């Protein structure tokens, strides 16, 4: 695999330094990296415009943390580009490669010693007065919440147009399997392997004793309808982009049938390996 690209968190000096290191490695191994215009300008090297880059690159190395990875996922959405993340952030469930192992992992990639994991993406359509106002996609999650401090929401929840409940809560998270280790995890949700086809509904600070995270099938469509008179509503996409919503807007979310994000799965760095490492799963006990 020769058509390697690179996406970099240019706000992190350590990511810029790592990018320069990899550019040199690429030159030494006759495998130069192709950079989008913004990265190329910051790293003072030649680059491609977005259309050229997206049509040429086969695999892109993402240098940063999970936030950079999510931005890269939106950038390549709708293409067959495979993403591989080098983690310079904290937890790093998406960007799984360590900086000290970057070149070794890239050698495995060049020799095709990896598999490709296809991650399902959430599709979300927002309807205002029965007219579509936004259509968005999220690799991790869609979150409905309020900007007001300590303001309770009444969220009507429907499954495939069938009434389920009115949830009194600070908000609600709809997560993909990939996003189950993100915001939904802190809301008490289960960890879902990214190769599973499922949706997760996780209430945010529910004002009831019965509300629990709920998994739904890949064919289900979850609808959120904020009720009441609150005008401080917000919908966030992967925790990075925000959209204003209004009372009685209809927010329909399902697993997209057309969009997927393809990621590198290296030997010894499976999802369970990362869970064990990042969350310290079972490290208090060792098997002889």
């Amino acid at each position: 695999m020769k058509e390697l690209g690179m996406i970099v968190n240019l706000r992190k000096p350590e990511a810029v330094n790592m990018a320069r290191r990899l550019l040199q490695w690429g030159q030494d191994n006759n495998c130069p990296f192709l950079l989008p215009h913004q990265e190329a300008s910051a790293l003072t090297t030649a680059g491609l415009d977005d259309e050229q880059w997206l049509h040429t690159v086969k695999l892109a190395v993402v240098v940063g943390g999970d936030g950079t990875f999510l931005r890269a996922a939106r950038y390549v959405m709708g293409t067959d580009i495979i993403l591989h993340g080098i983690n310079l952030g904290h937890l790093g469930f998406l960007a799984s490669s360590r900086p000290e192992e970057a070149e070794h992992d890239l050698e495995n990639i060049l020799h095709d010693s990896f598999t490709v994991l296809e991650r399902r993406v959430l599709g979300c359509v927002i309807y205002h007065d029965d007219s579509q106002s936004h259509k968005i996609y999220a690799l991790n999650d869609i979150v409905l919440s309020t900007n007001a401090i300590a303001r309770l929401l009444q969220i009507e929840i429907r499954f495939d147009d069938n009434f389920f409940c009115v949830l009194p809560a600070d908000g609600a998270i709809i997560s993909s399997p990939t996003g189950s280790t993100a915001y939904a995890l802190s809301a008490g949700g289960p960890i879902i392997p990214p190769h599973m086809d499922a949706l997760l509904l996780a209430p945010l600070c529910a004002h009831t004793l019965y509300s629990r995270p709920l998994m739904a099938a890949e064919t289900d469509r979850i609808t959120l309808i904020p009720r009441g008179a609150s005008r401080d509503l917000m919908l966030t996409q992967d925790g990075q982009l925000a959209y204003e919503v209004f009372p009685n807007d209809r927010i329909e979310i399902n697993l997209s049938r057309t969009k997927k994000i393809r990621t590198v799965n290296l030997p010894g760095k499976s999802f369970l390996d990362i869970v064990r490492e990042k969350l310290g799963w079972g490290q208090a006990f060792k098997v002889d």
Side-chain angles (χ1 to χ4, degrees):
M1 180 172 293
K2 288 292 185 181
E3 296 83 1
L4 293 181
M6 192 189 301
I7 297 172
V8 185
N9 184 345
L10 298 173
R11 294 177 295 178
K12 283 189 174 182
E14 60 270 34
V16 174
N17 291 335
M18 171 61 71
R20 295 189 190 280
R21 186 176 117 192
L22 294 181
L23 286 174
Q24 185 60 54
W25 179 89
Q27 291 179 1
D28 294 342
N29 288 271
N30 193 30
C31 185
F33 285 92
L34 303 174
L35 301 182
H37 178 73
Q38 186 176 10
E39 277 83 349
S41 177
L43 295 167
T44 62
T45 187
L48 302 175
D49 63 39
D50 288 349
E51 185 175 355
Q52 287 179 306
W53 193 92
L54 291 170
H55 279 87
T56 305
V57 169
K58 303 300 182 187
L59 185 147
V61 177
V62 182
V63 184
D66 279 359
T68 311
F69 200 99
L70 290 168
R71 176 173 66 86
R74 287 196 301 274
Y75 184 47
V76 305
M77 191 85 67
T79 75
D80 288 328
I81 295 174
I82 305 167
L83 297 180
H84 169 64
I86 298 175
N87 183 31
L88 294 169
H90 298 288
L91 203 53
F93 278 95
L94 290 169
S96 58
S97 183
R98 299 188 187 97
E100 62 271 20
E101 299 173 344
E103 289 87 352
H104 177 264
D105 289 343
L106 285 171
E107 288 175 3
N108 283 332
I109 289 171
L110 288 181
H111 291 92
D112 292 328
S113 297
F114 70 97
T115 56
V116 176
L117 174 62
E118 291 193 338
R119 297 173 182 263
R120 298 294 296 271
V121 170
L122 298 176
C124 173
V125 182
I126 305 171
Y127 293 94
H128 179 69
D129 292 335
D130 293 325
S131 297
Q132 180 178 313
S133 60
H134 296 286
K135 185 174 185 179
I136 57 180
Y137 297 93
L139 176 58
N140 264 1
D141 48 41
I142 299 291
V143 180
L144 174 64
S145 61
T146 176
N147 286 319
I149 298 175
R151 178 66 63 86
L152 181 68
L153 289 181
Q154 300 286 342
I155 306 171
E156 181 179 331
I157 300 176
R158 291 178 168 268
F159 283 78
D160 298 326
D161 290 329
N162 296 311
F163 176 81
F164 177 62
C165 71
V166 174
L167 175 69
D170 289 357
I173 304 168
I174 306 297
S175 168
S176 70
T178 294
S180 70
T181 53
Y183 197 5
L185 185 63
S186 67
I191 295 174
I192 306 173
H195 60 270
M196 285 188 64
D197 293 330
L199 288 164
L200 173 62
L201 165 64
L204 272 176
C205 299
H207 292 242
T208 69
L209 295 178
Y210 60 80
S211 294
R212 295 292 184 269
L214 176 67
M215 287 181 61
E218 65 165 320
T219 54
D220 286 335
R221 181 179 73 253
I222 300 177
T223 300
L224 307 178
I225 305 173
R227 298 302 190 188
S230 176
R231 308 292 292 184
D232 297 305
L233 304 174
M234 179 176 62
L235 193 82
T236 55
Q237 172 191 12
D238 282 336
Q240 296 184 337
L241 300 178
Y243 304 83
E244 186 178 17
V245 294
F246 300 92
N248 302 315
D249 280 0
R250 196 168 78 253
I251 302 156
E252 296 185 352
I253 306 164
N254 59 5
L255 286 178
S256 173
R257 293 179 175 83
T258 59
K259 308 287 187 185
K260 291 183 180 181
I261 294 297
R262 308 175 75 211
T263 62
V264 167
N265 192 20
L266 288 165
K269 295 186 178 180
S270 69
F271 173 73
L272 293 180
D273 292 325
I274 295 171
V275 167
R276 186 177 64 248
E277 175 191 348
K278 302 295 183 181
L279 299 183
W281 199 295
Q283 290 185 8
F285 302 92
K286 294 184 179 180
V287 178
D288 294 330

